[in-house]
Amino acid sequence: MENLDAARLQMAFTLIFHIVFACIGMVMPFFMVVSHYKWLKTRDQIYLTLTKSWQKGVAIFFVTGAVSGTALSFELGLLWPEFMKHAGPIIGMPFSLEGAAFFVEAIALGFYLYGWGKLPERFHWITGIIIGLSGVASGILVVAANGWMNAPSGFDYVNGEFLNIDPIQAMLNPAWFTQALHMTLAAFTATGFAVAGIHAYQVFKKRKVELHKKAFKIAITFGAIAAILQPISGDISAKDIAKRQPVKLAAMEAHYNTEKSAPLYIGGIVNPKTQEVKYKLALPGMLSFLAFGDFDAEVKGLNDFPEDEHPNVPMVHYAFQIMVGIGSILLFAGILYFISLKRKKWFNNHKYWLFFVVLAPMGFIALEAGWIVTEVGRQPWIIHKIMRTKDAVTPMPGIVFSFYTYVAVYLTLSVAVTWLMLRQIRVLNNSNY
Amino acid sequence: MLYVVLFFLIFSLFLYVVLGGADYGAGIVELFSSKENQKITKKTVYRVMGPVWEANHIWIIILIVILWIAFPVYYNIIVVNLHIPITIVLLGVTLRGVAFVFRHYDAVIDNSQKLYDGMFKVSSLITPIFLGMVFGGLISGHIKIVEDIATLSFYEAFLKPWFNIFSLCTGLFFAALCAFLSSVLLIGESESGNENIYVRKSTIATIVVFTMGLLTFTYGYISGNIFVIDFIKNPFAILAVLLSAILLIPLWKTIKKGNKVWSRFFAGLQVFLILMAALISHFPDIIITQTGSISLIENIAPDSVINVLGISLIIGGTVILPGLFHLLKSFKMIKILEQHNNPSI
């Protein structure tokens, strides 16, 4: 394996893990404070048990997120030193603010976890809110830094040098808002459906039904609302990418030739050699409409750009299809949940719970697929149109060994975390509230 | 603004060395304890570190972020030439963090605790050794800066800078310092009757710190290490080290009196002095290569970056520091209240 490929795989691998930990650590505090609020309001013991159980989940995911995040903050430099040498100062602003937000989160978490029965109830609850808010702020700031890689701004690039650096303009780059909005909603959708799915499984298995139903309702409400809002954000993102990164949009749709009234492909098998997409469903004019709000608009095809600036088209296309496909299913499931609130008898139906169990991993699969679209779709650039990924990689040979080590450690960790969560649920089911 | 940034760089380095160091040290103390004492230590460590555990380790993130934003040349040398020890540190941090959480948050207490404990203790020792080796690597004078690093052999580019006796000495010195900090901290936190365990540990740790320090310097001096030679020639550095040694007297007095606030203050001050001695003896040339030194001050990011970073750090600091202080204070107060309500503790 080449050094560049090994470095890319290691980065992708660690990010794929970190994103899961970070999203759960960022969204679960909200479930926890809602349950905590209900406990304070109703003094129903079930909510206290649930809050305490979720808080353990938050603690475990916060720490795994923090350590994998620490590893990433070094890895950026370890794997891409040339990138960090130039980009580090420019995108430092969101990272330093993220550090601050993360710190606030850690402090609030300290108060929250150890504050039971020691801090005034209201203050204690508020520290829970702070955990959630600072977590979301961290997420938005990190995504803003990624946005800069897609839409570099806040500097002049003259003869290979980065001059007149403006860190604030770099942070508020043209991509930050669309990406941050899309990612925040995705985090809520993915975590909401995942947590709801786990509790749905417990209801399905008829264990502590009352508790798990309450837990399910809290989690799915967040997930459903986010899933219903997501298409709006997706539309904003598509229009933004059509303008800024036409190559990425073309790869997402496996759209090779520039044409007016371009069709939207759903599914299909891409053959990059013949530039054909087989077995697809083509909706005439829809791509033009979705990208530019006009059925007749011209959409640039990949062939309009030099071949050495193309990303891996099939991978981007498939990832995009998976993301949109799952997003649509979750949108439908979200609406279904709100209907079920009116038709209470659905709650007694086995299949209702099974449906949500099946959906549990879906949000995260869509979220990872979305990041593959963003990251692989930007290739061969590490900084769009400024620096190529191959020019940023570390000169140290043998990254492949470091890659295998990370794979071994992270796989072990995920097995361990899953096992720990299972034990948590088992204990919860045996508790007497 | 450069000075604000420098202040926060040194401030977070110091806090990471003291807080993170005490945290690593806890694992080291546990590793070198008898079985029975290990249990006591584990319980005490959790009580002391639990609420602030997450916060302790964020200092290294702040440190690294300041480095890459404001001092990209330094960051670049660290991540390229010291890639291997940093990767080992990262694995250590990961395993240690996870082990700490697992052993305290696992819903079921069973045999798997042994595995978590083992992971925690071993990574607590290895991580600070390699952290110290990274610092040793920077000042060992083995780093070679060339136009194209591919022209160097793998050994010369990526191993020699840190894989040497001098770096190993600094690594062991740092680990001993961590154990020293932690045992002083634990004296004040242990339940009555157990203090002597940690008094004994801190005596041993002091001796090891002293021995390792002496060894590092002797070896550095004999092998002609520029950093060590300049250190010895620098009156401020020598003064700081001497002062740090003299502080052992009030430290022991306060420990005997059971005054934990002052004993911690003195221990922290000692580490601060040692750190300062190391920094001022060669400031601003903290990286020493085969062909000369690289200045921290002369290789900084553009002014606009430094200004914005400085402002963010001031804002961040005003939010975080009172919060952190309050966190430390609240739980201390709570503990005292508990002791009042429940005399059996």
Side-chain angles (χ1 to χ4, degrees):
Chain A
M1 200 188 296
E2 280 209 26
N3 226 29
L4 174 63
D5 295 334
R8 284 183 62 192
L9 275 174
Q10 182 179 324
M11 198 70 201
F13 188 78
T14 39
L15 275 170
I16 281 173
F17 273 91
H18 178 69
I19 287 167
V20 176
F21 296 143
C23 281
I24 299 177
M26 164 176 142
V27 176
M28 255 185 96
F30 288 97
F31 305 166
M32 178 184 85
V33 290
V34 170
S35 173
H36 190 169
Y37 178 78
K38 295 204 167 190
W39 150 247
L40 294 177
K41 273 259 151 172
T42 61
R43 298 287 162 183
D44 181 345
Q45 200 67 30
I46 292 182
Y47 284 116
L48 181 64
T49 313
L50 181 60
T51 309
K52 289 203 171 174
S53 160
W54 272 345
Q55 94 172 356
K56 280 201 177 183
V58 169
I60 292 171
F61 278 102
F62 180 83
V63 174
T64 36
V67 290
S68 61
T70 310
L72 271 171
S73 69
F74 278 95
E75 257 185 291
L76 281 172
L78 290 174
L79 297 174
W80 317 106
E82 270 309 294
F83 165 70
M84 286 308 285
K85 198 163 152 186
H86 302 290
I90 307 174
I91 51 168
M93 176 93 181
F95 278 113
S96 55
L97 292 177
E98 194 262 348
F102 189 51
F103 221 129
V104 171
E105 191 179 351
I107 292 171
L109 191 70
F111 274 116
Y112 192 83
L113 292 180
Y114 296 84
W116 288 98
K118 293 170 186 169
L119 298 171
E121 275 187 339
R122 222 186 156 70
F123 177 74
H124 184 218
W125 181 73
I126 289 172
T127 59
I129 300 251
I130 296 173
I131 301 174
L133 291 181
S134 46
V136 170
S138 294
I140 290 174
L141 287 160
V142 169
V143 173
N146 177 269
W148 180 84
M149 294 161 76
N150 285 313
S153 53
F155 62 92
D156 294 323
Y157 191 62
V158 187
N159 298 328
E161 286 200 57
F162 294 78
L163 303 174
N164 302 326
I165 294 172
D166 179 352
I168 295 176
Q169 205 195 330
M171 180 170 81
L172 301 175
N173 58 74
W176 88 269
F177 178 73
T178 50
Q179 273 193 241
L181 178 67
H182 204 56
M183 177 58 186
T184 309
L185 288 173
F188 274 91
T189 310
T191 313
F193 275 92
V195 174
I198 291 167
H199 292 287
Y201 180 72
Q202 304 299 323
V203 178
F204 179 74
K205 283 274 170 186
K206 298 206 171 4
R207 296 178 191 134
K208 298 260 171 181
V209 172
E210 203 187 342
L211 179 136
H212 289 295
K213 265 189 187 170
K214 285 187 161 61
F216 170 82
K217 276 190 182 175
I218 294 174
I220 198 69
T221 307
F222 279 98
I225 293 174
I228 292 168
L229 292 175
Q230 191 65 300
I232 304 169
S233 145
D235 183 55
I236 302 173
S237 291
K239 291 195 164 61
D240 185 38
I241 290 172
K243 254 193 311 196
R244 274 188 308 96
Q245 290 175 296
V247 185
K248 190 187 269 185
L249 181 82
M252 280 153 70
E253 273 300 309
H255 178 69
Y256 282 96
N257 295 313
T258 301
E259 57 185 310
K260 285 189 175 172
S261 185
L264 181 77
Y265 291 167
I266 295 176
I269 310 265
V270 185
N271 185 339
K273 284 205 185 102
T274 58
Q275 305 198 338
E276 275 178 327
V277 186
K278 280 185 181 161
Y279 315 114
K280 80 250 167 185
L281 180 70
L283 306 177
M286 270 311 273
L287 180 58
S288 294
F289 178 73
L290 286 176
F292 298 102
D294 172 5
F295 284 103
D296 292 324
E298 183 184 88
V299 180
K300 292 236 182 259
L302 284 157
N303 291 336
D304 268 19
F305 304 93
E307 205 170 325
D308 71 339
E309 289 182 15
H310 290 189
N312 181 329
V313 178
M315 192 190 275
V316 177
H317 178 69
Y318 298 142
F320 182 63
Q321 301 302 312
I322 290 171
M323 178 186 81
V324 175
I326 294 178
S328 311
I329 296 171
L330 296 182
L331 164 72
F332 166 73
I335 295 170
L336 198 77
Y337 167 70
F338 285 114
I339 298 172
S340 76
L341 288 178
K342 295 271 171 209
R343 303 183 184 210
K344 296 263 188 249
K345 64 172 187 243
W346 287 9
F347 286 128
N348 300 325
N349 192 332
H350 239 54
K351 283 178 194 142
Y352 176 85
W353 299 106
L354 192 62
F355 176 63
F356 282 100
V357 173
V358 175
L359 291 182
M362 292 295 180
F364 276 104
I365 296 173
L367 187 137
E368 301 285 7
W371 275 106
I372 289 172
V373 172
T374 322
E375 292 299 288
V376 179
R378 194 190 56 242
Q379 303 302 326
W381 306 104
I382 191 165
I383 308 172
H384 185 57
K385 293 268 187 191
I386 304 273
M387 185 188 278
R388 282 175 191 264
T389 313
K390 70 175 166 57
D391 298 326
V393 74
T394 179
M396 195 181 99
I399 293 299
V400 64
F401 297 107
S402 140
F403 168 58
Y404 290 140
T405 315
Y406 273 92
V407 170
V409 170
Y410 276 60
L411 285 183
T412 317
L413 279 188
S414 31
V415 171
V417 170
T418 315
W419 180 66
L420 220 60
M421 288 293 151
L422 289 177
R423 285 170 47 123
Q424 207 79 46
I425 294 166
R426 208 176 313 142
V427 169
L428 181 64
N429 284 334
N430 294 333
S431 66
N432 331 295
Y433 39 74
Chain B
M1 268 309 165
L2 175 61
Y3 290 98
V4 174
V5 174
L6 268 178
F7 167 78
F8 274 97
L9 181 77
I10 293 170
F11 183 68
S12 43
L13 175 68
F14 168 67
L15 283 183
Y16 186 65
V17 167
V18 172
L19 299 173
D23 206 303
Y24 287 122
I28 302 175
V29 170
E30 206 182 304
L31 180 65
F32 292 107
S33 292
S34 64
K35 257 203 179 140
E36 194 184 328
N37 290 350
Q38 280 189 355
K39 271 189 203 144
I40 299 169
T41 307
K42 182 175 170 181
K43 241 172 79 187
T44 321
V45 168
Y46 180 62
R47 227 186 39 230
V48 188
M49 301 292 183
V52 289
W53 186 83
E54 282 88 2
N56 286 348
H57 287 270
I58 293 175
W59 292 110
I60 197 169
I61 301 186
I62 305 276
L63 185 70
I64 209 71
V65 170
I66 295 178
L67 262 184
W68 96 41
I69 298 173
F71 310 100
V73 174
Y74 261 54
Y75 180 74
N76 196 261
I77 291 173
I78 295 173
V79 290
V80 173
N81 296 84
L82 302 170
H83 187 121
I84 297 169
I86 287 185
T87 302
I88 296 172
V89 167
L90 288 181
L91 290 174
V93 167
T94 308
L95 290 179
R96 193 177 173 279
V98 170
F100 183 86
V101 175
F102 282 11
R103 71 186 198 155
H104 296 299
Y105 293 104
D106 192 346
V108 185
I109 307 286
D110 59 13
N111 261 340
S112 45
Q113 288 287 332
K114 273 189 192 158
L115 178 71
Y116 309 151
D117 289 348
M119 255 166 73
F120 180 74
K121 286 181 289 191
V122 173
S123 49
S124 291
L125 178 65
I126 290 173
T127 315
I129 291 181
F130 276 89
L131 264 175
M133 284 174 87
V134 168
F135 184 71
L138 292 179
I139 57 170
S140 67
H142 289 298
I143 293 175
K144 198 168 181 180
I145 303 291
V146 284
E147 271 289 306
D148 183 7
I149 202 163
T151 55
L152 299 179
S153 69
F154 185 83
Y155 171 75
E156 202 163 19
F158 306 108
L159 283 177
K160 205 179 164 193
W162 60 275
F163 195 67
N164 54 59
I165 298 173
F166 179 76
S167 299
L168 184 66
C169 287
T170 43
L172 292 172
F173 175 75
F174 182 58
L177 209 60
C178 294
F180 164 75
L181 277 167
S182 188
S183 35
V184 173
L185 177 77
L186 289 173
I187 294 171
E189 296 295 335
S190 57
E191 288 157 13
S192 56
N194 294 332
E195 293 99 338
N196 279 332
I197 303 173
Y198 305 108
V199 173
R200 217 162 44 234
K201 294 281 173 223
S202 54
T203 317
I204 299 169
T206 311
I207 296 168
V208 179
V209 169
F210 187 74
T211 320
M212 277 323 299
L214 205 64
L215 207 65
T216 311
F217 271 83
T218 320
Y219 180 80
Y221 191 76
I222 295 169
S223 62
N225 182 302
I226 300 169
F227 180 85
V228 171
I229 292 168
D230 286 353
F231 190 105
I232 293 169
K233 279 188 198 154
N234 189 312
F236 293 108
I238 293 296
L239 193 71
V241 171
L242 279 179
L243 204 61
S244 167
I246 292 169
L247 280 177
L248 276 174
I249 301 164
L251 177 70
W252 284 117
K253 281 202 169 150
T254 45
I255 286 176
K256 270 195 183 148
K257 278 189 195 156
N259 190 333
K260 61 183 182 182
V261 176
W262 280 103
S263 61
R264 279 172 203 181
F265 171 76
F266 286 126
L269 188 61
Q270 283 180 302
V271 173
F272 178 72
L273 285 168
I274 294 172
L275 194 68
M276 279 300 122
L279 289 179
I280 53 172
S281 64
H282 226 269
F283 195 81
D285 302 338
I286 316 283
I287 294 183
I288 298 166
T289 69
Q290 287 189 18
T291 44
S293 0
I294 297 171
S295 165
L296 183 69
I297 305 283
E298 279 164 28
N299 293 288
I300 55 168
D303 280 350
S304 58
V305 173
I306 300 285
N307 288 340
V308 171
L309 176 64
I311 294 166
S312 327
L313 285 171
I314 293 171
I315 296 171
T318 45
V319 177
I320 290 162
L321 293 176
L324 191 63
F325 180 72
H326 195 64
L327 180 70
L328 291 165
K329 208 176 127 203
S330 321
F331 287 97
K332 202 116 301 147
M333 278 171 65
I334 289 158
K335 209 171 305 151
I336 293 164
L337 283 176
E338 269 178 357
Q339 281 163 357
H340 275 282
N341 292 338
N342 188 353
S344 67
I345 292 175

